[in-house]
Amino acid sequence: MIDTNAIEEHIRGILVALGDDPEREGLKDTPKRVANMYKEVFEGMNYSNHEIAQMFNRTFEEGLEDIEGNMIGRVVVMRDIDIFSYCEHHMALMYDMKVNVAYIPKGKVIGLSKIARVCDMAARRLQLQEKIGQDIADIISEITGTEDIAVTIEGCHSCVNARGIKKNNTKTFTAELRGEFKTDPSLQIYVR
């Protein structure tokens, strides 16, 4: 679990290391505010991918077959799911991130709100954008039982935009393609 008391203590130390006074009026409550913010934005760090899958493991099986017993709708796609995260290299904000998730059902589908919740929880960790896509695919696979999954993410990284190279309009695109999405290019149009 996230230790907010330790975070407060360390933020206070950072303020001192920056040459400021953590007791001045504008900063007096900053360590507590930052600790509470970290507890919220890093909530996903409290759970493994398996625990997140269990948390949102609500699927539907009825009414998914046509008269011949075939699955209705070959692909389920949810686009432009807003998330944010923090990179593990600089603890810098990754923002304006859009996630597209597609999967081919194998007898059951997950509720659409659960897909968005999985994306949000997987992003609330210190990690890389590539890893967020892998985590989302792992969790969706565990819930739905399918290996045919695609997760694409596009977003801005403040460690690129605000420091270092300082390229303000740069976006990063990542793709996690599994199963048929990896081998069948005609399916890849769903997550572009």
Side-chain angles (χ1 to χ4, degrees):
M1 297 306 268
I2 293 172
D3 185 345
T4 55
N5 291 328
I7 293 170
E8 282 185 49
E9 178 182 329
H10 291 290
I11 293 299
R12 193 171 284 104
I14 290 171
L15 292 172
V16 169
L18 290 172
D20 215 326
D21 176 9
E23 295 304 317
R24 76 173 170 84
E25 190 58 36
L27 294 179
K28 199 177 281 188
D29 292 326
T30 296
K32 182 180 267 322
R33 284 192 296 265
V34 171
N36 287 333
M37 179 189 76
Y38 279 9
K39 183 177 179 182
E40 178 183 340
V41 301
F42 296 125
E43 181 183 5
M45 296 179 77
N46 291 319
Y47 306 101
S48 67
N49 285 349
H50 174 70
E51 290 168 325
I52 294 170
Q54 294 300 306
M55 202 180 304
F56 302 117
N57 190 14
R58 175 85 169 114
T59 58
F60 304 93
E61 298 174 21
E62 293 180 15
L64 296 176
E65 297 176 351
D66 64 16
I67 296 170
E68 287 86 36
N70 299 316
M71 287 293 291
I72 296 174
R74 181 162 157 70
V75 179
V76 175
V77 181
M78 192 165 182
R79 294 183 175 280
D80 296 328
I81 302 166
D82 290 317
I83 64 167
F84 67 88
S85 192
Y86 290 82
C87 88
E88 63 187 29
H89 294 155
H90 299 98
M91 292 183 69
L93 182 64
M94 296 185 283
Y95 61 97
D96 287 343
M97 298 178 86
K98 301 284 186 192
V99 179
N100 299 317
V101 176
Y103 70 97
I104 299 172
K106 298 286 192 244
K108 58 185 174 180
V109 295
I110 182 176
L112 296 177
S113 69
K114 301 300 186 263
I115 294 173
R117 291 176 196 278
V118 164
C119 293
D120 189 52
M121 191 64 78
R124 289 177 180 258
R125 299 170 170 165
L126 284 172
Q127 62 183 354
L128 303 175
Q129 181 172 317
E130 298 88 338
K131 181 72 168 104
I132 296 169
Q134 292 171 358
D135 287 347
I136 292 168
D138 288 347
I139 295 165
I140 297 293
S141 179
E142 182 175 338
I143 294 170
T144 63
T146 185
E147 292 298 320
D148 302 315
I149 298 173
V151 178
T152 60
I153 305 172
E154 184 175 67
C156 298
H157 294 236
S158 61
C159 56
V160 172
N161 300 346
R163 58 153 308 277
I165 194 80
K166 297 180 185 161
K167 296 300 179 190
N168 293 333
N169 295 314
T170 303
K171 291 189 175 190
T172 300
F173 177 84
T174 55
E176 178 70 19
L177 305 175
R178 297 181 181 182
E180 288 190 43
F181 287 97
K182 190 172 189 172
T183 59
D184 184 350
S186 70
L187 290 173
Q188 295 170 8
I189 63 165
Y190 292 111
V191 289
R192 285 190 191 141

